[in-house]
Amino acid sequence: MYEPHSDFLRVLSERGYIHQCTDLENLDRAALAGRVTAYVGYDCTADSLHIGHLVSIMMLRWLQKTGHRPIALMGGGTTKVGDPSGKDETRKLLTEEAISGNMTAIKRTFANFLSFGGGPTGAVMANNADWLDSLHYIPLLRDFGRHFSVNRMLSMDSVRLRLEREQPLSFLEFNYMVLQAADGRFRSMGQHRHGGRTRPARG
Amino acid sequence: MGVELGRRAAELSLYGLTTPLITTASGTKMGKTAQGAIWLNPDRLAPYDYYQFWRNTEDADVGRFLKLFTELSLAECDKLGVLRNAEVNEAKKTLAFEATKLCHGADAAEMAAETARQTFEQGVAGAGLPTVEVPLDELRRGIPAYELFKRAGLAASNGDARRLIQQNGARLNDQPVTSEARLVVESDLGVDGAIKLSAGKKRHALIKPA
């Protein structure tokens, strides 16, 4: 295994924080050459983090102590969707008020582990809702996406045949049927149609 | 996925680093306790309970947890991590104090350590209490409480011991003994491998299996 030279990765490696890295050598070079910035994302599903988050919090603390900038990234946007990992069933969707209350409570913990005083290595708390919201993607997911079963989508010919032939299918294309089905929900279509029901034609 | 997206969509050089899943020496996922999750916010879990969670670390995990969850030097972590038997408790106190200090501040950590000391140590194990050994198989069958109080030297006779219990003066591991016929069994042994008996506020004895 590669032995890191930068303070940051050497500490992490010696103390047992590293499981895998996409490119340890080049990251080590970057950390030796100057200041790196790293973020860890945290869900806002509860009003407190728990001990399972502590290894990554300590990692951000060491990052700061070794001269780099940590970002605690709050999943204010992604929590509106809900992480399916490790769950057998869909999570209950949280309201925006509940998510922002949780975020405020979680900030207290980071204030103890990281120094937010500004400066080149000052920690930053960011919220992914700040950029995800402007994509207007999450309302689409929450309003329409929740009614689509991926299990069924995978069984549709358009998708199934590509998968069976092991041909690439991008996520862009995978969304085609969602947008197509959503057509039927928009009343503005009625202004342009001539008789009949507002139901999209198949095919 | 994020590293790949950065490369494809924005020509950014991003690196991804993942941390190991921390399991305990007995193979369970760390932090999965009978009481539920170990929360970091003091409104959810008091600093004292947080301290006790660390204080109850398994012996074999102490060195590794010191490295991950405190900022003590590696040499110090290694030194504390190899302690066993009675000495390992000092290492666990260090782990509990340092971990609590990081999460809740030095004042809260000191208060938690002091509360723990008052609860578990004042006059208990290691403080030169009279210790009486009883055969382990006898403890497995169960020994009536009054008899054990007599054998521990906390009562002059069985009758004296029964009176002590009837007058609510007898405690076992700091809990009142409410029935003189209560059987004291192996599962009464505490984490320190002893049972603490008390007669009144000041007279204590330890029962240890032999």
Side-chain angles (χ1 to χ4, degrees), chain A residues 133-153:
Chain A
D133 281 357
S134 66
L135 299 175
H136 301 295
Y137 181 52
I138 292 175
L140 178 97
L141 294 176
R142 280 171 74 104
D143 296 344
F144 299 139
R146 65 197 298 186
H147 303 297
F148 283 80
S149 153
V150 170
N151 314 50
R152 267 201 73 208
M153 289 167 77

Side-chain angles (χ1 to χ4, degrees), chain A residues 8-9 12 14-24 26-27 30 39 46-59 61-62 65 105-106 108-109 112-113, chain B residues 2-3 14-22 30-32 37-44 50 53-54 64 66-74 77 99 102-105:
Chain A
F8 170 54
L9 287 177
L12 253 54
E14 285 170 352
R15 301 186 79 101
Y17 291 96
I18 301 179
H19 172 52
Q20 291 171 321
C21 181
T22 53
D23 186 351
L24 196 60
N26 280 316
L27 176 57
Y39 73 88
D47 60 6
S48 170
L49 298 177
H50 56 74
I51 214 135
H53 298 109
L54 202 50
V55 171
S56 68
I57 297 174
M58 286 300 291
M59 194 156 91
R61 188 176 162 91
W62 281 113
K65 282 183 76 145
I106 291 171
R108 284 179 65 186
T109 293
N112 288 329
F113 284 93
Chain B
V3 174
L14 295 177
Y15 302 92
L17 202 57
T18 59
T19 56
L21 177 72
I22 309 297
M30 189 203 183
K32 289 280 173 198
I38 301 299
W39 300 103
L40 303 185
N41 193 319
D43 294 338
R44 277 288 192 108
Y50 188 76
F53 165 77
W54 292 104
R64 191 165 50 106
L66 280 164
K67 286 180 195 167
L68 288 169
F69 302 112
T70 78
E71 291 177 327
L72 298 180
S73 71
L74 285 178
C77 295
L102 283 174
C103 192
H104 298 300

Side-chain angles (χ1 to χ4, degrees), chain B residues 29-207:
Chain B
K29 191 172 159 187
M30 189 203 183
K32 289 280 173 198
T33 68
Q35 305 96 289
I38 301 299
W39 300 103
L40 303 185
N41 193 319
D43 294 338
R44 277 288 192 108
L45 185 75
Y48 172 70
D49 294 316
Y50 188 76
Y51 178 96
Q52 282 304 125
F53 165 77
W54 292 104
R55 177 67 183 80
N56 292 326
T57 298
E58 291 175 46
D59 293 5
D61 290 329
V62 172
R64 191 165 50 106
F65 286 5
L66 280 164
K67 286 180 195 167
L68 288 169
F69 302 112
T70 78
E71 291 177 327
L72 298 180
S73 71
L74 285 178
E76 185 86 355
C77 295
D78 286 334
K79 197 182 84 190
L80 292 170
V82 295
L83 298 178
R84 287 295 177 266
N85 303 320
E87 284 179 336
V88 77
N89 287 319
E90 292 310 311
K92 289 181 190 178
K93 280 181 213 163
T94 304
L95 169 64
F97 178 79
E98 295 293 328
T100 307
K101 189 172 81 176
L102 283 174
C103 192
H104 298 300
D107 288 351
E110 264 156 36
M111 270 177 65
E114 178 56 23
T115 307
R117 197 183 66 78
Q118 286 175 2
T119 312
F120 296 100
E121 286 180 25
Q122 271 188 354
V124 196
L129 287 186
T131 301
V132 176
E133 292 191 339
V134 298
L136 182 59
D137 55 353
E138 208 181 328
L139 205 53
R140 286 195 171 129
R141 287 194 300 272
I143 304 170
Y146 68 85
E147 188 189 324
L148 205 57
F149 272 84
K150 178 183 168 280
R151 283 165 71 173
L154 295 173
S157 65
N158 283 344
D160 196 23
R162 286 175 194 269
R163 274 189 295 281
L164 178 73
I165 294 168
Q166 283 158 11
Q167 290 160 9
N168 300 322
R171 277 171 299 134
L172 187 149
N173 293 334
D174 297 317
Q175 297 299 315
V177 180
T178 50
S179 157
E180 58 191 61
R182 180 207 194 280
L183 282 185
V184 182
V185 291
E186 195 185 359
S187 62
D188 287 314
L189 290 168
V191 280
D192 52 354
I195 298 167
K196 181 189 177 193
L197 299 183
S198 312
K201 283 203 173 66
K202 298 227 173 87
R203 296 167 59 230
H204 310 278
L206 291 182
I207 302 295

